[in-house]
Each structure stands twice: as C-alpha cells, then as structure tokens.
C-alpha cells in the first residue's frame, strides 16, 4: 500500500543497531497468526452478558422508569437504574499522574431526571445470554417528557436558550492577542476573508468498546478491557464508591482507539454490574451501540481574515472559531485550546488575534479524536493559504515558503520554536513525489493540492505530565520492560522494546514487555496526545540507560579501561577498539548479581512544567514541542457526476527519529486513510439532536477500493524531545490530509467547497455557480 523514502537526517551522526531499523514488531507474530487476544476474546465461567438501555430522545425529562417486568424475566440477573446507584457521578476528564484536580465536568452515570443527548443511558441489564438481555431491555417501561433543546451553537448562544451546561452554554473560551493586529491589517495590500466548516465524525475503530469484569476473592473489581487509559481505575473507584486500590484495569491490545477510547466508556457499567451480581459480566457494544457510546470529533466553524503584502507576506491574522461540545464537557476545553494554538498553522504571524469558544448543545457530546483540534484548524488555515495564493496570483507552494516558521521564531502563543521546522523540505518532497501531472480528459478534471501543518506532541505543559517505567536484565541476558502504557495498534509497546534493546545490547527478540496492568505495571499515563513515545519512551530510555551504566562500569573494571570505551551489542560486552576484550552479557550479569550490583531500574520521566498561559493574551508555553510536515494529493473530479477519485497521496513528515520506520509508515498510511474519509465521505448527521446515520450503512468510511497507493516520506531531523530526538507521528499523519484534498478539488474544478465532507452533491452544486465561458 505504501512506498517509503527515507531522506537525509539532521542532528548528531549516530549509528544505531536496533533503533531506526524496520524490525518486525514484537506484537506482529501474534496478530499475524491470529493468536493475539483482544478484550472481546476473554470469557469466564458463569459469565453474564450486559446491555445498555438508551434514550430515544435528545432533550427530555425522565418522569418514570419501571424495570419490574425486566427483572422478572427468567435469566435476568440484574437491572440497574439511577435509583440503585451510589450518589456519585461519572468523571469525564482524564487524570494526571500527579493526582491534580480534574475539571468539574462530571456527568450522571444513568439518567436521573434529565436526558441531555440522544442515546444517553437509562438502565443497565445483565443476563445469562445476550438475547435475554436484549429482551429485558424491551420490557423496561419509561416515560420521557420532551423538553426544549438546542441543536446548534447558534441556537445555544441565543438569549433565553435552554441551558445544557453552565449558565449560558459556554463550555470554554480562549483568546490570543499577539502584536498589533490593526496595524498589521493597515499594512496589508490585500485582505482575504473566508469561513470554513468541519463536521461531526465517528472514530470507526475496528474493535467496538468491550470489557469483562469480575470481583475477586480480595474484593478487588477487575476489568479486562479495550482502553487507552488504565489510570481510569481511580475514577471508576470514585464512581462506584470503593477505595482506589480495589479497582484494577487490565488493558488488552486495542483494535483502534483514535481518541474514542480515551474517555471512560464501559468501565463503570461493568464494575457496577459485577459488584451487584457477584458474577463476571461481559459488555460488548454492537456497532450501533458504539455510535452512541463515545464522543465524536468536534465540528468547527472557523473564519480567517488574513492580511498580505503584495509579495505574499502575512501582515495580520484574525481568527474566529466556534465548536459544538455537545451535551457534556468532556475534553472540549482542551480540544479548543489545541485548535487555538494551531490556528495560524506553521506560519510566522507577528500580529494575531484569535477568539475561540466551545458551546454546549443537545447533540452527542464531543471529545478526543486524532488531531485533537489541530486537524480542524489545519482545514481552515491551509484552505485560506490557497485562496490567498489565488487572489495574489502567487504559486501556493511559494506563498507558503515565504511565510513558514523557522527555528527560533515565535509561534501563536509567543514562545520560540526550539526544534527543527522542516515544513519546506516536507512540502517540496511531497509535491515532487506526485510526478508529472496528467492531462484532463473530457469531464474528468485533474487537480492537485498541498497542505502543511504544525502539530503538538505531548500533553499540556502545566499538567505536570509524568511516566514511569521499569527495566531489568535477567540472569540469561534477556531483558524485561514493565510499563503501564496501552498499545492502541501503533506499536507503542514494540517501540519500548526497541529502545531497551538498543541500550542494553540485545536483539529485539530478547526483550519482553509487560504492560497495561494498573496493579502491577508502573503507571505510564495516557496513550493520547501523541505522548506515548515521548513520555514512556523517555522513561524506558532513562531506566535502560541506568542499567547499562552499571553494567558497563563493572565491565570497564574487568577490562581495566574507562567506561566510555566499553560497548554492548549482540548480547556481548566488549572494548570498542579491542575485539579481544569481550565477554558474554550473561557472564557480566552473573558477576553483577553475585556482587549485589542492581540489574534493574524504576524511573519516572517528568515533562517540563510551565505556568498556564495568560488568559487575556494567550501567551505562554502550551506544549513541549511540535511536529511539522505536509501532504500532497492528486485528484480526478468528474464534473458531470461530482465523483472525486484520489489518484495519489503523499505524506512527508519530520518524525525527528524513527524508532521503527515500518511502524511510522503504518501510521502515515492509517492517518492518510482516515483523512480521506474526513475530507470526502464521513459525516455524522443529527436532526433535532437525533442521530440519523447510526451505522456503516449510512456513515461511509473509505474502503481499500477507495484508497490510492500512499507514499510515505520519512524525514529525521533528530531535533525532537522524544528518545534519540524523536517527534510524534500518530496524530500528525492525519492532520494535513483533508485540507490537501480540499485544495486539490478546488484546483480541479475552479471553485472552493469550504464545508467538509466534499461530497459529489456539493461538487455538482458548486459547479452550478461557476460562470460558463
């Protein structure tokens, strides 16, 4: 599916033995041979099956709920409503490793009085079989009295509108005030103003939400599940009313997350039912349940007003952005912040004015999704650059080159970029990779587009982010890594093994990683925010380095040389300039063990900490660092039918240092595919708050037949803050894809469609507005 080109590296001239090699991932054999057990594969004797009853209304008052008939049904073990639950709420914000106070965003576990969105849970059922549980749902009687609702941000902001959250439905606001924007516009020769819209979309992961819970002999509630965050055990404990040490999360390999499994999904329901019944309980969402069971990507409306000199330099930028938070807060304040920071894109803007807000409605709640606000911002700033290029009659690539940030420049929040900004290199290589442009053929018009981006990796710097890891060498020279990190399919666990193998001089097959157990593995934080490699990778690097240093110190004593003269590779320890001075790693380990030299290390990696940004100006550090790259796309548009075919798609990204180039390539392929769906076909549609696209029959994701061959160009500046200079790639791989396609379509048909997705219907409608020559 992908052609990969590795390009020149920056940074120190380092030669690795394990890192940087496209080695088979340690999770590959199990997945290849079908032996890997995902959360849905686990069963237990005497297991119950759970189902969730959901509200058919988006805004209503619960007047009555009667579960007596359901409880009387043979085979039903338990039915729960709000009346049986502890007087607690379900948390909707992710915990930090430091135990910081979370945002006050909690929601009801089951509806008590008021329904706020279509599909909000009313009751839980556990029964001997799935069929019985479904029958029990049909027997539950309830009365819902419809209440006035708000189903758009415009409605929600009107005076006197029904209040969904807070006092005025404003969930969060941010602003940026940098430089003198009025002076900047006064200095402009041309001012370009446009508004862009993005849509609600679904994560569409292969594996729906699923888990299995049981209470053991020590009264510990165990939950084996598919999640991005095992640290949820704390919030589950609070929700069900038990001590934190009485809840254990065992994470399985995840069949896709993309942010949709960052929030709590089935965990609290499973814990409540397992404790209520005393039996194991399994809850697996159907695809339709999943559409209602987790937050969606935030839709945004973004207006850019940009001032340019006649030669294409940006003089000022004013951005106004509004997003729909849905019925609960969840991560909307953070998504909005990321979008605000990313709003100017990878461009130097000395005079910047941004106003951003998230608004509560009675639509489905929105939360984390790959790209996390920066993807929506990119849709706007990259289309704006193409529109400006058209008006200024400057090549779109050249216009970008004249405005790209450089290392040391100040970004939107007034902090200098310290790592490499290889936007120009990425954009140029991606564009050149498209090759010769084919000619139009009749109604088929060919178009090309490009998009560049700035994407953060790592969590917000004032959240005190930390990650722990343990690394040890066994007596036979094999290596063990213990980390709480969850692997959501991107190879997070295998990357840790590759880092440890590099530093301890063994092969990747000599490393075993134990991960994702909140009771037995050091807590590594969330697998979110493109932070896993940065945070957990650095923790493993530090732990492995500490073990390496102790081993090398003892070997240096044995060889009568300085420690820096000793190296490790292929399970041997040797003096670099004297191959005769060598010993087996197992012999060195035995010596260290007999002398009481510690052969393992537990470390905590702490991200840099800064104060929060100035609320009046938006100035200050928000993220540890940023990744940069570009996407180039070629499309064919049938002007008679509106059908769009993506012919070529090239992603070029500076990843700092690729720990495993094959894994990086996989991320670029996956992000590109997801970006194609975002651009062309995917849209969750709500009418009066009710979802009318609740399955893959109506919600259209791209198939293999829709995808072209994806070319991945991997650049390595070795300038990142991750291990060995790595940057992130999980989210950046998606961010520029949709705007590149939008620009390509506009190039093909000569008119811009500013609203995603760009469907055939929208193309035909847009072409009707083009004057006939």
């Amino acid at each position: 599916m992908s052609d990969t080109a590795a390009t020149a590296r920056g940074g120190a001239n380092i030669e690795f033995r394990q890192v940087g090699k496209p080695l088979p991932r340690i999770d590959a054999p199990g997945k290849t041979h079908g032996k890997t057990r995902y959360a849905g594969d686990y069963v237990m004797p005497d297991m119950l099956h759970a189902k969730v009853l959901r509200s058919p209304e988006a805004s209503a008052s619960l007047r009555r709920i009667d579960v007596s008939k359901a409880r009387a049904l043979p085979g039903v073990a338990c039915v729960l409503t709000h009346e049986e639950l502890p007087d607690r709420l379900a948390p909707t914000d992710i915990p930090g490793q430091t135990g910081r106070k979370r945002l006050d965003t909690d929601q009801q576990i089951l509806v008590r009085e008021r329904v706020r969105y279509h599909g909000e849970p009313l009751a839980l059922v556990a029964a001997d079989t799935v069929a019985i549980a479904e029958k029990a749902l049909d027997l539950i009687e309830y009365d819902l009295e419809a209440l006035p609702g708000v189903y758009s941000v415009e409605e929600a902001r009107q005076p006197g509108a029904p209040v969904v959250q807070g006092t005025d439905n404003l969930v969060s606001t941010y602003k940026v005030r940098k430089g003198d924007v009025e002076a900047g516009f006064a200095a402009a020769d041309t001012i370009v103003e446009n508004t862009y819209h993005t849509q609600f979309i679904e994560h569409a992961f292969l594996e729906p939400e699923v888990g299995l819970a049981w209470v053991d002999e020590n009264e510990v509630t165990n939950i084996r599940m598919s999640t991005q965050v095992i640290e949820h055990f704390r919030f589950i404990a609070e929700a069900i009313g038990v001590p934190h040490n009485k809840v254990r999360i065992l994470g399985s390999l995840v069949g896709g997350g993309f942010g949709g499994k960052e929030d709590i999904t089935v965990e609290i329901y499973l814990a409540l039912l397992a404790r209520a019944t005393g039996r194991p309980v399994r809850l697996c969402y159907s695809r339709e349940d999943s559409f209602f069971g987790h937050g969606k990507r935030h839709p945004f409306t973004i207006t850019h007003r940009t001032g340019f000199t006649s030669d294409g330099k940006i003089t000022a930028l004013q951005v106004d952005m509004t997003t729909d938070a849905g019925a609960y807060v969840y991560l909307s304040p953070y998504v909005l912040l990321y979008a605000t920071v990313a709003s100017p894109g990878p461009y130097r803007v000395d005079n910047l004015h941004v106003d951003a807000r998230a608004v509560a409605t009675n639509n489905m709640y929105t939360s984390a999704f790959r790209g996390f606000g920066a993807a929506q911002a990119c849709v706007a700033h990259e289309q704006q650059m193409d529109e400006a290029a058209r008006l200024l009659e400057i090549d779109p690539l050249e216009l970008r080159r004249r405005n790209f940030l450089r290392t040391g420049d100040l970004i939107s929040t007034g902090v200098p970029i310290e790592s490499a900004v290889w936007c120009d290199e990425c954009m140029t290589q991606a564009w050149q990779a498209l090759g010769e442009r084919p000619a139009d053929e009749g109604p088929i018009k060919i178009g090309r587009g490009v998009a560049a981006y700035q994407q953060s990796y790592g969590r917000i710097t004032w959240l005190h982010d930390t990650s722990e890891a343990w690394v040890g060498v066994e007596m036979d020279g094999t290596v063990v890594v213990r980390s709480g990190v969850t692997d959501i399919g991107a190879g997070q666990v295998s990357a840790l093994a590759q880092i440890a193998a590099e530093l301890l001089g063994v092969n990747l097959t000599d490393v075993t990683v134990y991960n994702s157990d909140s009771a037995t593995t050091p807590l590594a934080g969330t697998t979110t925010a493109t932070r896993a490699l940065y945070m957990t990778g650095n923790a493993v690097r530090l732990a492995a380095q500490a073990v390496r240093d102790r081993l090398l110190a003892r070997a240096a004593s044995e060889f009568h040389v300085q420690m820096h003269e000793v190296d490790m590779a292929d399970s041997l320890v040797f003096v670099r300039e004297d191959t005769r001075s060598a010993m087996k790693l197992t012999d060195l380990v035995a010596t260290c063990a007999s002398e009481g030299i510690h052969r393992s290390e537990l470390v905590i990696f702490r991200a840099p900490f800064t104060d929060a940004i100035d609320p009046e100006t938006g100035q200050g550090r928000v993220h540890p660092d940023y990744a940069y790259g570009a996407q180039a796309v070629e499309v064919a548009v049938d002007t008679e039918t509106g059908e769009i075919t993506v012919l070529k798609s090239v992603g070029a990204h500076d990843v700092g240092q690729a720990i495993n180039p094959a894994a990086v390539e996989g991320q670029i392929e996956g992000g590109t595919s997801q970006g194609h769906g975002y651009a062309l076909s995917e849209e969750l549609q709500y009418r009066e708050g009710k979802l009318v696209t609740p399955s893959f029959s109506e919600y259209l994701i791209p198939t293999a037949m829709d995808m072209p061959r994806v070319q991945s160009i991997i650049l390595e500046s070795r300038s990142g803050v991750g291990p060995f200079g790595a940057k992130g790639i999980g989210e950046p791989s998606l961010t520029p894809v949709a705007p590149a396609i939008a620009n390509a379509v506009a190039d093909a048909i000569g008119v811009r469609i500013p609203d995603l997705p760009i469907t055939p219907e929208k193309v035909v409608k847009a072409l009707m507005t083009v004057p006939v020559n």
Side-chain angles (χ1 to χ4, degrees), residues 378-593:
C378 191
V379 167
H381 64 66
E382 287 308 283
Q383 292 191 83
Q384 181 75 350
M385 291 301 284
D386 262 35
E387 284 298 288
R390 179 181 60 82
L391 291 172
L392 294 167
E393 297 183 337
I394 299 175
D395 177 79
L397 277 71
E398 180 59 29
L399 181 65
R400 288 173 169 84
R401 290 191 182 103
R402 295 178 187 181
N403 291 284
F404 275 142
L405 289 164
R406 299 289 186 261
T407 301
D409 285 346
L410 303 184
I411 66 168
S412 59
T413 61
V415 298
I417 286 293
E418 297 164 356
S419 65
V421 185
W422 281 10
C423 281
D424 196 349
E425 293 88 337
C426 291
M427 179 183 70
T428 300
Q429 292 200 31
W431 189 260
Q432 290 175 347
L434 292 179
E436 185 177 350
R437 179 172 179 149
D440 296 342
E441 293 186 9
I444 306 300
K445 305 299 181 184
I446 304 299
R448 286 183 167 181
V450 72
Y453 69 87
Q454 171 185 281
Q455 179 86 48
S456 64
Y457 62 99
R459 296 181 72 204
I460 297 169
T461 51
W462 60 81
L463 297 185
H464 297 275
D465 200 12
T466 65
S467 184
E468 301 173 32
W470 184 98
V471 176
V473 181
E474 296 297 332
M475 296 300 296
D476 63 353
T478 58
V479 174
V480 174
V481 177
R482 293 186 172 92
S483 168
V485 69
T486 54
D487 193 317
I488 59 175
Q492 286 88 355
V493 167
S494 192
L496 302 185
Q498 210 158 343
I499 292 166
E502 178 69 42
L503 290 168
L504 293 172
V506 299
N507 294 321
L508 185 59
T509 53
D510 296 320
V511 183
T512 294
V513 181
Y514 296 101
N515 70 295
S516 302
D517 185 337
S518 67
T520 63
T521 55
L523 297 180
T526 67
T527 302
T528 66
T530 313
R531 69 173 288 282
L533 177 60
Y534 161 49
M535 293 297 299
T536 307
N538 270 331
V540 169
R541 177 184 61 83
L542 291 175
Q545 186 68 53
V547 176
R548 174 187 172 92
D549 289 347
R550 284 196 288 271
L551 294 176
L552 292 186
R554 181 62 186 86
S557 175
E558 187 75 16
F559 295 139
H560 304 291
V561 297
Q562 297 297 310
M563 191 175 82
H564 70 269
E565 299 178 66
V566 185
D567 202 354
M568 309 169 70
D570 298 322
S571 297
L572 295 174
V573 185
F574 52 89
V575 178
R576 287 193 176 92
E577 303 302 327
D578 182 6
T579 56
R580 295 171 297 176
S581 297
M583 63 191 304
K584 294 180 179 179
L585 178 59
T586 51
D587 293 338
L588 176 59
V589 170
T591 298
C592 291

Side-chain angles (χ1 to χ4, degrees), residues 56-74:
E57 301 293 334
S59 180
S61 173
L62 178 61
R63 312 303 295 176
R64 179 182 73 94
I65 185 164
D66 184 350
V67 299
S68 57
K69 292 180 180 178
R71 284 176 175 157
L73 182 67

